[in-house]
Every structure is written in C-alpha cells, then in structure tokens.
C-alpha cells in the first residue's frame, strides 16, 4: 500500500458494494476506508475550516515549555488534540526519516528539528537529551517556533512472531510530536493563505489635516482663504500615498482569494496563472517613479491603451457561458489603482480648483478618499476564510507560536489561526463587501468632476446624514459625475437591488419617475435625516444664492437658518441679515415719538380751537380796534393761513411717527421742526393780539422742545451702531465670537448655514461671489451676531460756548401796540377792585356788629356751660381775637393788591398793615411803558399771587360769616 502524505490531494478510487458470498480483497476494503476518510477530511476542511480551534498556547519558563490543552485541524483534515496541559523540560534532535514530511525537507535534507520531551521520557535511538534551559542559554527563545506535528507513515509488521507466522499487514502510524523549528526554516515552509492575511495590521490610518481658521488667521480675501485649503490638500496627498498603496497590495491578495473562491469559472480558457491581478495591476502604469512618502516609490499613471478588465471580459465571453450581467459589470469596474490614480489626479484637480471656486469641494473629495480607504481597511479586519483550503498549506502540523514572543499581540504569522469556511459567519459576504469597497475607493478617485456652470441645476438641498454615519449612507456629493457612483456608493443598497434610492443632487433628473420620494425628497418625511447638503451655490452671485436658498428653506419649511459672511473687510459691501441695534434704543425712540406725537396732537387741537375763537371780521371792525391793531383783518387772515400750513406739516409728519428706527434712517425731524416753529411764530404773533389764554400755548413753546433733535440723535446712534455691527458679518470677526466653524458641504438639522462670499472684480465691477460655506450646529440669533467688537459708537455731545438762537426762531420784534392793551387790562382790574373795596368795608362793618352779637350770645352760653372753669372775659377775648384775625388777613391781602397796583412796588413787599388808599388809582401809559420786561413779569406774578390769596380770604370770610349767622 502506498503512503499518501497529503490525503486530500489524492481523491479516493471507487469502492465496491459488498454482496453475499463475495470474496473481499485488501484493495476493496482499503478503498472503502479511504473513501470515508476522504469524506471526513473534506467535511472538516471545507465545511468547518482549518487551524487552531482553541487552546494550544505556548508558555515559556526559565527551564520548561508548557503547551496548554486544546485542539485544531490541519489543512489535510487531521484532528490534533491535547486533552491536558503538557510541560516539557528537555529536548532532543528529531529524525523524520520514516515519514519524510515534505515541508521539513530542504534539498533532500531534513531541516534541523528538536523534539520537546516531558520529564523522564527516553530519547528514541539513544540520542542526546538536552535540558531546555541549557538549550536556550545558547539560543534565543524568540528565534524558535513551536509546532505540533502529526507524523504519519506506513510501517510493515513482522510476518512471524513467537506465537505464529500469520501476516499482520501494514500499520498506519500516527504519532504526535511537539517540535521546535527555527524562524528561518519556518519562514521557508510557511505559506500565507490567500484569504487570510495580516496586512490589515500593517495598513496605516488615513488622516487629512484640518483647515484651521482661528482669530490669528489672516483670512480677509479669497486668495488667503483658498491658500489654507491648498496647503491641507497638498499635505493630504503626501499622507495618503502610503495607505492607498497598501490598499492596492491588500486588494491583490483579496482578488486572488476571490478568484479561488469559485466566483469565476476555472477552465482552460482562463487559468489562474493567466489572470493577472484584475483589481490593481493597472495597465496605465509606466516606469516613471513617484515618491509617496516614507521612501515608498510607486509608478505613475498614464492614459490607458487597453485595459486588463476588457481582456478578462473577452476571455469570459469565450467560455460560452451565460454569466450574470452584474458579475461582468463588477469586473468591468474592478480596475485601476487607487494610489497611482490619486497621485496622478491631485495636481491637475488642484490647479483647476485654484482657478475656480471649487477648493472646498476638492478638500471634501480628499476627505471622501480617506474615509473610503478606512472603510475598506476595516472591512478586511478578521477576514480569514477559505472556500477550498489548499491541503498542502499545513497538512500535518500546526504552528503554535514563538517560544518567547516579544510582542503581546497575537500574530498569525507564527501561529496557525483558524481559517473558517465561508459559510460560517458570512465570511464570503465579507469578502465581497471588501472588494466592493475597494472598487468604490477607485471609482471615487476616478469620478471626481467639478466644472462650474456645467450640469448646473441651481441651488438644491439634499437630505442626508452627518459625518458619524458610514459614507454609503450619505447622499452622493455634487462633485462626482452623475450616475458614476450609483452602483458603487453603498454595498447594502447594491445587495438589496436598491441603487436607484441614492439621494443626490441629480436625483430629480435621473431617479425613476416611480420614486417621487427620491426625485423630490424635501416633500416627504425627513425624520431619518439629520443633515442637509447644500449644493449648486459655489461660484455664483451671493444675492441670487441667498434669495434662492431662503425661498427654498421657507417654501419647504426646512429646519435650519441661513446667513452670509463676507471674507473681505470692506463694510460697504456687507449685507447684514438683521438690522439690529440694542433694544433700549427702541424704547427711547418710541418714548420720544410718543412725546412728539402728543405735543403735535395738542398743537393741532389748539390750532383748531384757535381758528374758532379768533374774532370775526365783523368784531374786528368795531371802533377803536384799528387804533390798537392796525389792519386787524390782515392779522387774522395771516394767522389762519399759517394755521393751515402748520396743519399740513403736522399731517405730513404724522405717518413717520408710526415707523421704527430702521425705517427712519433717512428721515430727519430737525428741519421739519424748524419749519413748524417758524410758522407757529407767525401764527402766535397774530393769535396773541386777537386772543388771550390762561396758560402758555403750544405755539409759544414749540420752538423750545428738544424731542425732534433727540429723535434724530437716537436714530443716528442706531445707524452708527448698525454700521459697527456690520463688522460682525466679516468672516474673521464672526469667527471670534462663534469659534469652531464646521464645513461638510451643508448644515446640521437645527443649525445655521453660513454662506461665505468674497468681493471679486469681474469686468471692472465688484461682485459678491460665493466661494465656500460653513455651518454652526445652532440657530444664530441677532444678538449673537450683534456683539460689536468695540463699544457702541456713542459720540459725546460737544459742549460749545453759548450762542444766541437765530432771530427768526422767535421772531422777536418791538411791539408798540401791546402797552395800550395792557393799560386797559389794568384799568379794568382797578375798577373791579374799587367795587370790591366798598363791598369789603360794608361787609367788615357788618362783620364787627355780627361778631359782637355772637360774642354776647356765646358769652351767655359759656357762662351757663363752663361755670367757674373760665371767665367771661377770657372766652370773649379769645373768640373775638380769632374772628378779627380772619377779617384782618382778608383786609391785609386786599391792601397788598391795592398797594402793588398803586405804587408799582414790583417786589410785592407791603410794609406793615397800613390801610391802602382806596381812592381812584392813576395808571397812565407812560408809567407802564417805563417798566422793564423783568419788572412787568414780576409785577404780573405778584398780582396773580395777591389775587389768589384774596380769593382764598374771601372764601374764608364768607364761610366764617356763614357760621356766625348760624
């Protein structure tokens, strides 16, 4: 019987079914055994896997090596099991001449091997036994690998024994040995499985430098703005070179695994050796090297002449098989090289972006590449599977690891990790997903295309998810060619045949008409989306972009706010979102508007009443009037005309008082106030000649009110404040108060989308052009923007030397017609006083008699009621004194009035209580004209005061007289 070292490499021959009375041969029995043994081995390796299942850990001590209990499967389907821990303290040279295991042979010679032995075990063949601590004194423990080796060979037994000479046949030996092999020899026999690679752990992270804007940044124009992004993109290009190159290398291994997994038919038309790597061997590569970083040199890419995927598809077609179109499409797209394509495209894309306004989009593209690489790398983690594991990988041995591993990490390089069957844990699906994601990475690099003005559909908002979600769950960005990534964007949608459900900028034109929720997603439920991509705005007029986006936001009731920020520090071009000023200015403004409105209402009411109270033309024709007034009709006519002019100005002014500060920016109240005051002066001159009032009139005080000037001052302060607040809409100033601006080509739900524009000179005309965007994750309020960088621009009032007001304000002129009028007033007053004097004397005489009478009556009553408590004289004296005091006060005040008028004592000081001369007072015009203005005013004040007192005393006197009469 021949020895079969790797049993799964030799299919068993047919076996016989047994029948009655059949003569059985050894071959027939052995064939049946080989068949079932082969099936068992196939079941283990194809349906379960191969490698260490559990346990079998190596523990190294100073003088021993322990292998823990455990089990595993070789690639040939043998089960290796240790039911308990074994500790080895010595070793000896191992001779494999009987089995002659091919992996241990090197040019017909056996590589040095050492068998571990437990304490007390005897060396076969009396070979030298060496203690473990002695062995590792001369050798490094980290340079040796521990193996469990199942030695299988056929051994003939002796025909004769001491009992009989019957033929006992050939014996199959299965001996388990624990061996040491040097790392160098193990490296020679070790083969990495096509579908089990540790390249994942060698692949570096892909990261993109941030574009940092902070208060120290000097970004006040578009050139500085794009320079920030240019630096980040150039640095990213260097940093991504190595990761993308290693992604290409890993994709080669996965491709080989894919080809061996039965996904592609194997036939003479397509042999595995004929199929060069479809995924990564790019025929566009030339011998021109490019340095990627860390010393790695890779070829650059040129334009293709013929692609390998076309060649492969041609070969598939020769099979005459009806393959699924999707399979052919997969291979059509699985072409290219991520590293070479990326390095080739970045310079030309960067040049184009700097000449247009697409620098932020290019930066977003670089971030997409980094994310796509990371997702591909993560998809390969723990991807270890084998559809048809090659039996010759480790047919009779299991590597357990280094004797002493300097690393704490478990590596499958020197330990036979378990290779699962694809059916377990969906490893086949994981492989397809990894290949899909690599293909997406290549397609992303090849599909970037930003051409301003072309394929433009205006400003659009596309719902999506934020950066925390996988790339495939987001909507496809605007800067990729339409439909170029529909099949490659999301693996789960591809599996579910739902590639038409990708949201993207062009979905309205390209999505099926049967999917309105994809063509017009803003019209349907948005609960599952927490981000909105805003696209189609870069490079366009800011005014148009803002108008379109604001209309779309309000029309679709989208949950975010928008506002514009200007790069350039030029205040004149800023368009603030809010006309904001401190709220207290509104309070002051409204309060003074109320005052002015109330004053104007009183003026209007007085003017209307004045027109009614003016003497009629008939009355003005009375004899003697013209002696004092001249042409009285003309005075009245002018007064009425001025009243109408004032009414018109009041009517015209009224609507402005209903406006707020922002609406009154161009309105000044001071000129209107001056005009009204001048007309009021003319009207007042006529009115005071023809009428008389007890109080000062609105016409007299209108020129002196300060409310109009104060309204203008408040308005100017609000305007100055608004101008200062405009500076907050400058990009760098906004950044100081709202740090950490984010850019993801859109805005978070509940955030504020910030449209960044620059002042660009086009055809000798300055225009606001949108050059980028950011967002903050909150709604920006007016007061957040209105934090001025300096205190409010309140300008202190300049105090200047007092200057007389212009004469025309008061229209102050000499008036010789007024004194006669005043003289007549005083004569009337004197006549009235003369009458009062006579009445007072009479009443005073009567009062005395009445008092005496009442005193007698009271005296009698007091005598009766008080008894001896008070004397009659005391009571009479007390009552009499009180009554006389009241009468004396009345006469004293009356005397004061008379004294003022008669003696023209403007100080009002009447000395003593001398009786006034009640004769007729002589008040002539000359005497009155000799008084100064101040003397006339003071005399009039004293006169009014005396009359007031007189009236009070008159009342007191009457009341007292009434009581006496009772």
């Amino acid at each position: 019987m021949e020895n079969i070292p790797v049993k799964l490499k030799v299919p068993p021959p047919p076996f016989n079914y047994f029948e009655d009375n059949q003569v059985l041969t050894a071959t027939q029995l052995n064939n049946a055994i080989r068949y079932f043994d082969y099936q068992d081995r196939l079941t283990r390796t194809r349906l379960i896997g191969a490698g260490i299942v559990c346990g079998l850990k190596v523990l190294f001590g100073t003088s021993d090596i322990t292998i823990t209990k455990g089990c595993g499967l070789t690639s040939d389907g043998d089960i290796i099991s240790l039911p308990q821990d074994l500790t080895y303290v010595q070793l000896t040279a191992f001779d494999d001449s009987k089995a002659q295991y091919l992996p241990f042979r090197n040019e017909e010679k056996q590589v040095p091997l050492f068998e571990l032995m437990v304490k007390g075990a005897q060396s076969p063949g009396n070979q030298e036994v060496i203690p473990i601590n002695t062995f590792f004194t001369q050798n490094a423990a980290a340079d040796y690998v521990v193996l469990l080796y199942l030695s299988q060979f056929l051994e003939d037994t002796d025909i004769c024994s001491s009992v009989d000479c019957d033929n006992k046949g050939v014996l199959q030996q299965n001996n388990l040995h624990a061996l040491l092999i040097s790392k160098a020899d193990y490296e020679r026999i070790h083969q990495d499985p096509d579908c089990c690679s540790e390249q994942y752990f060698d692949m570096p992270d892909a990261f993109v430098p941030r574009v940092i804007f902070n208060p120290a940044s000097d970004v006040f124009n578009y050139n500085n703005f794009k320079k920030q992004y240019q630096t980040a993109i150039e640095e990213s290009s260097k940093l991504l070179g190595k990761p993308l190159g290693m992604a290409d290398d890993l994709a080669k291994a996965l491709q080989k695994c894919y080809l061996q997994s039965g996904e592609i038919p194997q036939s003479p038309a397509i042999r595995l050796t004929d199929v060069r790597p479809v995924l990564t061997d790019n025929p566009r590569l030339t011998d021109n090297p490019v340095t990627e970083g860390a010393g790695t040199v890779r070829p650059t890419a040129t334009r293709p002449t013929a692609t390998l995927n076309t060649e492969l598809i041609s070969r598939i077609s020769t099979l005459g098989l009806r393959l699924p179109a999707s399979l052919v499409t997969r291979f059509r797209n699985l072409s290219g090289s991520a590293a070479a394509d990326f390095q080739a495209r970045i310079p030309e894309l960067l040049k184009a972006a700097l000449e247009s306004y697409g620098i932020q989009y290019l930066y977003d593209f670089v971030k997409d590449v980094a994310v796509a690489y990371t997702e591909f790398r993560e998809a390969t983690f723990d991807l270890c599977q084998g559809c048809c594991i090659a039996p010759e990988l480790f047919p009779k041995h299991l590597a357990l690891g280094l004797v002493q591993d300097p690393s704490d990490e478990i590596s499958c390089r020197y330990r036979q990790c378990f290779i699962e069957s694809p059916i377990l844990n969906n490893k086949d699906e994981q492989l397809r997903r990894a290949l899909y994601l690599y293909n997406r990475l290549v397609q992303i690099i090849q599909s970037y295309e930003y051409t301003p003005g072309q394929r433009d559909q205006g400003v659009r908002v596309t719902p999506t998810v934020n950066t925390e979600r996988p790339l495939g769950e987001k909507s496809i960005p605007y800067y990729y060619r339409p439909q170029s990534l529909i099949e490659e964007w999301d693996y789960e949608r591809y599996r579910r045949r739902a590639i038409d459900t990708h949201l993207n900028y062009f979905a309205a034109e390209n999505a099926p008409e049967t999917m309105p929720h994809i063509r017009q997603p803003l019209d349907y439920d948005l609960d599952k989306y927490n981000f909105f991509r805003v696209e189609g705005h870069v490079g366009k007029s800011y005014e148009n972009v803002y108008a379109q986006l604001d209309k779309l936001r309000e029309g679709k009731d989208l949950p975010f706010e928008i506002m514009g920020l200007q790069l350039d520090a030029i205040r004149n071009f800023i368009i603030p979102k809010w006309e904001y000023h401190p709220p207290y200015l509104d309070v002051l403004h409204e309060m003074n508007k109320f005052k002015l409105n109330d004053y104007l209402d009183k003026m209007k009411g007085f003017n209307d009443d004045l027109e009614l109270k003016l003497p009629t033309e008939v009355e003005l024709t009375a004899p003697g009037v013209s002696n004092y007034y001249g042409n009285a009709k003309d005075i009245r006519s002018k007064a009425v005309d001025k009243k109408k002019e004032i009414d018109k100005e009041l009517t015209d002014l009224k609507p402005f008082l209903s406006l707020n500060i922002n609406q009154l920016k161009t309105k000044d109240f001071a000129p209107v106030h001056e005009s009204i005051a001048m007309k009021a002066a003319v009207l007042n001159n006529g009115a005071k000649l023809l009428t008389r009032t007890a109080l000062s009139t609105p016409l007299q005080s209108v020129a002196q009110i300060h409310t109009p000037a104060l309204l203008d001052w408040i308005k100017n302060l609000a305007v100055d404040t608004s101008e200062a607040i405009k500076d907050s809409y400058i990009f760098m100033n906004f950044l100081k108060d709202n740090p950490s601006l984010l850019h993801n080509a859109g805005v978070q739900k509940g955030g504020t989308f910030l449209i960044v524009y620059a002042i660009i000179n086009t055809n000798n005309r300055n225009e606001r052009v949108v050059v980028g965007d950011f967002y903050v994750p909150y709604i920006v309020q007016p007061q957040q923007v209105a934090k001025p960088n300096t205190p409010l621009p309140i300008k202190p009032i300049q105090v200047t030397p007092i200057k007389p007001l212009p004469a025309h304000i008061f229209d102050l002129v000499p008036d010789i017609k007024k004194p006669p009028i005043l003289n007549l007033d005083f004569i009337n007053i004197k006549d009235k006083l003369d009458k009062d004097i006579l009445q007072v004397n009479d009443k005073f005489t009567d009062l005395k008699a009445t008092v005496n009478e009442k005193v007698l009556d009271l005296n009698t009553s007091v005598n009766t009621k008080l008894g001896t408590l008070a004397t009659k004289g005391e009571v009479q004296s007390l009552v009499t004194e009180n009554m006389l005091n009241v009468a004396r006060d009345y006469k004293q005040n009356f005397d004061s009035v008379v004294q003022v008028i008669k003696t023209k004592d403007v100080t009002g000081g009447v000395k003593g209580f001398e009786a006034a001369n009640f004769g007729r007072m002589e008040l002539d015009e000359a005497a009155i004209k000799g008084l100064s203005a101040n003397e006339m005013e003071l005399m009039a004040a004293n006169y009014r005061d005396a009359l007031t007192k007189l009236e009070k005393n008159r009342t007191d006197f009457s009341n007292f007289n009434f009581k006496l009469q009772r």
Side-chain angles (χ1 to χ4, degrees):
M1 179 178 180
E2 81 175 299
N3 182 33
I4 304 176
V6 183
K7 294 179 172 53
L8 284 179
K9 287 185 69 70
V10 181
F15 67 92
N16 299 92
Y17 280 98
F18 304 134
E19 296 181 356
D20 293 340
N21 302 319
Q22 176 182 346
V23 177
L24 295 178
T25 64
T27 300
Q28 291 173 329
L29 290 174
N30 287 332
N31 287 346
I33 292 173
R34 283 184 60 188
Y35 174 81
F36 289 112
D37 178 63
Y38 187 83
Q39 292 297 319
D40 284 345
R41 292 175 183 273
L42 280 178
T43 300
R44 296 173 192 145
T45 58
R46 299 298 190 262
L47 302 184
I48 299 176
I52 297 174
V53 176
C54 63
L56 302 182
K57 299 293 181 62
V58 176
L59 306 176
F60 177 64
T62 57
S63 60
D64 57 46
I65 295 175
T66 298
I67 300 177
T68 64
K69 67 180 180 179
C71 64
L73 282 171
T74 69
S75 60
D76 198 29
D78 292 295
I79 298 177
I80 295 179
S81 176
L82 286 183
Q84 61 185 15
D85 297 348
L86 292 178
T87 300
Y88 304 94
V89 297
Q90 55 192 3
L91 54 79
T92 186
F94 179 72
D95 180 18
D96 191 44
S97 57
K98 291 183 179 181
Q100 296 190 3
Y101 185 43
L102 186 60
F104 292 163
R105 311 297 294 179
N106 184 10
E107 297 181 357
E108 303 300 326
K109 294 181 181 180
Q110 177 186 307
V111 298
L113 298 169
F114 301 92
E115 182 175 7
L116 298 175
M117 302 173 64
V118 298
K119 185 177 181 179
Q122 298 296 320
S123 170
N126 296 321
Q127 299 185 53
E128 181 185 7
V129 176
I130 305 172
I132 285 180
N133 57 351
T134 302
F135 179 83
F136 286 114
T137 301
Q138 303 172 359
N139 302 278
D143 290 338
Y144 283 86
V145 179
V146 179
L147 303 178
L148 283 181
Y149 167 53
L150 184 62
S151 175
Q152 290 184 344
F153 58 89
L154 297 177
E155 186 176 42
D156 288 333
T157 57
D158 292 335
I159 295 177
C160 296
S161 67
S162 59
V163 180
D164 56 44
C165 287
D166 293 338
N167 189 348
K168 294 183 174 59
V170 180
L171 186 64
Q172 168 78 43
Q173 293 288 351
N174 296 284
N175 301 321
L176 185 62
H177 304 275
L179 304 179
L180 294 182
I181 185 172
S182 69
K183 282 174 62 174
D185 289 329
Y186 178 78
E187 292 282 0
R188 185 185 58 80
I189 71 172
H190 174 73
Q191 300 180 53
D192 280 327
D194 294 328
C195 298
C196 281
S197 172
E198 289 198 292
Q199 285 180 270
Y200 168 85
F201 297 102
D202 298 327
M203 296 178 71
D205 290 335
F207 46 90
V208 175
R210 283 182 62 202
V211 178
I212 299 177
F213 294 101
N214 56 45
S217 303
D218 184 21
V219 181
F220 287 100
N221 56 60
Y222 181 57
N223 287 333
N224 293 338
F225 181 77
K226 64 184 180 183
K227 183 65 177 177
Q228 299 280 94
Y229 282 96
Q230 179 183 359
T231 302
I233 292 170
E234 291 173 343
E235 184 65 21
S236 299
S237 177
K238 299 175 183 178
L239 294 174
L240 291 177
K242 184 178 179 180
L244 293 178
M246 298 193 72
D248 291 337
D249 294 339
L250 178 56
K252 290 179 182 179
L254 296 180
Q255 173 215 2
K256 190 174 181 182
C257 173
Y258 184 74
L259 293 174
Q260 289 185 345
S261 65
E263 297 286 347
I264 297 294
Q266 300 294 312
S267 71
I270 300 181
R271 299 189 305 273
L272 183 60
T273 55
D274 293 336
V275 179
R276 292 175 291 167
V278 176
L279 299 176
T280 56
D281 280 5
N282 193 338
R284 296 183 289 180
L285 302 184
T286 67
D287 294 330
N288 301 325
V290 59
T291 302
E292 296 180 348
T296 305
V297 178
R298 295 190 178 277
T300 58
T302 60
R303 290 296 176 186
T305 55
T307 57
L308 179 61
N309 59 297
T310 304
E311 177 184 346
L312 178 62
I313 294 171
S314 177
R315 292 192 179 189
I316 291 176
S317 301
T318 62
L319 296 176
L321 300 175
R322 296 179 60 84
L323 299 178
S326 60
L327 179 61
V328 178
T329 302
R330 288 297 94 215
F331 275 94
R332 178 179 292 113
N333 292 332
L334 288 175
S335 62
S337 172
D341 287 351
F342 184 75
Q343 296 295 337
R345 296 207 70 197
I346 279 295
E348 61 183 67
L349 294 177
L350 181 57
K351 180 177 182 297
L354 292 174
E355 293 173 353
S356 63
Y357 303 104
I359 194 69
Q360 272 194 334
Y361 281 158
L362 184 59
Y363 179 73
D364 294 340
F365 157 71
V366 173
K367 290 199 299 182
D368 288 349
V369 171
V371 173
Y373 160 82
T374 301
E375 292 186 3
F376 162 67
R377 185 190 67 169
E378 294 306 313
T380 65
F381 177 70
D382 203 23
L383 177 57
C384 186
Q385 59 99 1
C387 175
C388 298
I389 301 174
E392 63 273 14
L393 285 179
F394 46 95
K396 302 301 173 185
H397 73 272
L398 291 176
L400 307 186
L402 296 173
V403 174
Q404 188 176 36
D405 195 338
S407 173
D408 294 333
E409 299 175 356
I410 298 177
S411 172
C412 296
R413 182 69 182 172
Y414 302 106
R415 179 176 173 83
Q416 193 58 62
C417 296
F418 193 78
I419 304 173
E420 293 183 15
S421 167
I423 201 64
L424 301 178
N425 298 321
N426 295 320
K427 292 295 182 180
D428 55 340
E429 187 65 29
Q430 185 180 355
L431 173 61
R432 286 191 289 271
R433 183 173 184 273
L435 292 175
Y436 181 96
L437 293 179
Y438 174 78
N439 174 54
R440 182 184 68 176
L441 173 62
V442 175
Q443 291 297 309
I444 282 176
I445 295 172
Q446 295 177 354
S447 298
Y448 178 84
E449 180 181 82
Y450 174 67
T451 51
Q454 297 183 15
R455 57 187 178 86
D456 184 88
Q457 303 296 334
V459 180
R460 287 184 174 178
V461 175
T462 306
T464 183
V465 293
N466 59 25
T467 55
E468 298 175 358
R469 304 300 303 159
L471 191 62
E473 293 185 16
K474 303 174 187 177
S475 61
I476 302 176
Y478 163 79
Y479 43 78
Y480 293 117
R481 286 192 300 271
Q483 303 298 101
S484 61
L485 290 170
I486 287 295
E487 290 191 6
E488 283 75 25
W489 189 248
D490 183 26
Y491 181 65
E492 292 304 319
R493 280 191 174 90
Y494 174 76
R495 284 182 61 207
R496 291 166 171 76
R497 302 177 185 177
I499 60 174
D500 289 332
T501 63
H502 283 300
L503 296 179
N504 61 91
Y505 179 87
F506 303 100
E509 290 75 33
N510 298 325
E513 293 185 1
T514 56
M515 296 183 177
H517 61 292
I518 304 300
R519 295 173 68 93
Q520 301 295 334
L522 298 180
D523 293 338
Y524 297 86
D525 180 33
L526 298 175
D527 288 349
K528 62 182 178 181
Y529 304 109
N530 55 16
F531 200 85
F532 296 91
R533 288 193 68 88
V534 181
E535 298 164 311
H537 59 294
V538 175
K540 298 179 180 178
S541 164
Y542 167 72
E543 295 91 325
N544 293 337
V545 167
Y546 189 94
Q548 290 182 47
L549 186 55
D550 194 46
K551 180 180 179 181
L552 181 62
R553 181 185 63 87
E554 291 186 357
K556 300 297 183 181
D557 192 25
L558 300 179
F560 61 85
E561 186 57 86
I562 60 174
M563 66 177 293
L565 297 177
Q566 181 174 291
L567 282 178
D568 308 78
I570 306 175
R571 185 181 286 180
N572 293 341
F573 286 94
I574 295 174
I575 304 177
K577 180 177 179 62
W578 297 286
E579 292 288 346
Y580 181 82
H581 48 262
Y584 62 80
L585 290 183
D586 289 314
V587 176
L588 291 175
H589 195 256
E590 293 300 319
M591 180 178 69
N592 282 278
K593 282 199 307 179
F594 174 81
K595 288 182 178 180
L596 181 58
N597 183 68
D598 182 65
Y599 192 92
L600 297 180
D601 287 343
K602 287 183 171 59
M603 176 179 283
K604 181 66 167 61
F606 176 80
N607 290 352
D608 292 342
D609 189 46
L610 176 64
E611 187 176 11
L612 298 175
K613 299 296 176 59
L614 285 175
T616 65
E617 293 185 359
V618 174
E619 293 173 333
L620 293 177
T621 58
V625 174
S626 60
N627 295 334
Y628 294 112
Y629 295 100
N631 189 348
K633 292 183 178 181
D634 184 57
I635 294 174
R636 185 185 188 284
S637 176
K638 289 181 178 179
V640 172
D641 290 341
K642 289 301 177 183
K643 185 265 181 186
K644 293 178 180 179
E645 292 180 15
I646 293 175
D647 285 350
K648 183 178 185 308
E649 293 215 38
L650 296 181
T651 302
D652 293 341
L653 183 60
K654 272 282 189 174
F656 290 100
L657 295 179
S658 63
L659 304 180
N660 57 37
I661 296 181
N662 295 326
Q663 296 168 324
L664 288 172
K665 279 188 174 182
T666 59
K667 179 66 177 177
D668 289 328
F669 286 97
V672 180
H673 174 225
E674 182 178 350
S675 175
I676 292 176
M678 292 177 66
K679 293 178 175 64
V682 176
L683 176 58
N684 185 59
N685 277 339
K688 70 183 180 181
L689 293 176
L690 304 178
T691 61
R692 183 175 61 192
T693 61
L695 300 174
S696 176
T697 70
L699 294 175
Q700 295 169 338
S701 58
V702 64
Q704 302 177 37
I705 63 173
H706 61 271
T707 308
L710 187 57
L711 282 172
D712 288 343
W713 182 82
I714 295 171
K715 178 221 26 180
N716 291 333
L717 179 58
V719 171
D720 292 342
T721 303
S722 297
E723 287 298 309
I725 289 174
K726 276 187 178 181
D727 291 342
S728 297
Y729 288 86
I730 296 174
F731 176 74
M732 290 305 302
N733 293 340
F734 182 86
L735 180 64
K736 293 176 184 178
D737 294 323
N738 300 270
S740 302
L741 303 186
L742 304 172
H743 167 74
N744 286 303
V747 58
Q748 177 180 310
K749 182 184 289 186
T752 302
F753 184 67
L754 306 173
I755 307 171
V756 179
Y757 63 92
I759 306 304
I760 306 296
N761 187 282
T762 305
N763 298 325
N764 296 322
R765 179 184 176 185
N766 289 325
E767 297 181 351
R768 302 178 186 87
V769 178
V770 177
V771 296
D773 59 73
F774 294 88
Y775 78 94
V776 289
Y778 51 84
I779 297 294
V780 175
Q781 300 295 333
Q783 58 269 28
Q784 290 175 285
V785 184
K787 295 177 181 176
N789 300 316
T790 57
L792 292 180
I794 299 179
K795 300 176 182 178
I797 297 175
Q798 295 182 354
V799 180
T800 58
I802 297 177
K803 297 179 181 179
L805 289 173
H808 67 270
I809 294 296
F810 297 104
D811 199 16
L812 185 62
V813 296
D815 187 0
I816 61 174
K817 297 180 179 179
K818 191 61 181 176
I821 304 295
L822 181 63
N823 188 38
L824 291 177
D825 290 343
F826 272 102
I827 291 174
N828 292 335
I829 293 172
K830 183 183 72 67
D831 291 341
K832 184 177 181 182
L833 286 177
D834 288 341
K835 295 178 182 179
D836 284 346
I837 289 171
L838 296 176
Q839 293 177 1
V840 168
N841 284 331
D842 293 340
K843 289 183 179 180
F844 191 69
T845 302
D846 295 341
L847 177 63
K848 282 185 178 181
T850 305
V851 167
N852 289 331
E853 245 178 71
K854 294 299 180 182
V855 166
L856 293 176
D857 295 341
L858 182 63
N859 188 27
T860 303
S861 176
V862 168
N863 288 335
T864 303
K865 295 181 179 180
L866 294 181
T868 60
L869 294 179
T871 65
K872 173 183 177 182
E874 291 174 347
V875 174
Q876 182 180 9
S877 175
L878 178 62
V879 174
T880 303
E881 182 179 357
N882 287 336
M883 294 180 182
L884 291 176
N885 283 341
V886 173
R888 190 181 297 114
D889 286 343
Y890 177 85
K891 190 170 187 307
Q892 178 184 341
N893 287 326
F894 181 80
D895 291 344
S896 297
V897 174
V898 175
Q899 189 71 7
V900 168
I901 297 174
K902 181 175 181 181
T903 65
K904 302 185 294 296
D905 184 357
V906 297
T907 63
V910 180
K911 298 179 177 61
F913 298 94
E914 297 87 355
N917 183 4
F918 295 116
R920 185 175 180 82
M921 290 181 279
E922 300 294 337
L923 294 177
D924 56 13
E925 181 177 340
I928 293 177
K929 289 179 63 175
L931 295 177
S932 67
N934 289 337
E935 288 175 335
M936 290 184 68
E937 178 64 27
L938 186 56
M939 187 180 76
N942 290 334
Y943 170 65
R944 288 193 296 270
D945 183 56
L947 288 181
T948 301
K949 292 179 179 179
L950 183 63
E951 185 63 31
K952 180 178 184 303
N953 289 133
R954 180 180 293 168
T955 302
D956 292 341
F957 181 82
S958 299
N959 292 338
F960 183 68
N961 187 33
F962 174 73
K963 292 179 181 178
L964 290 176
Q965 292 174 0
R966 293 178 60 190

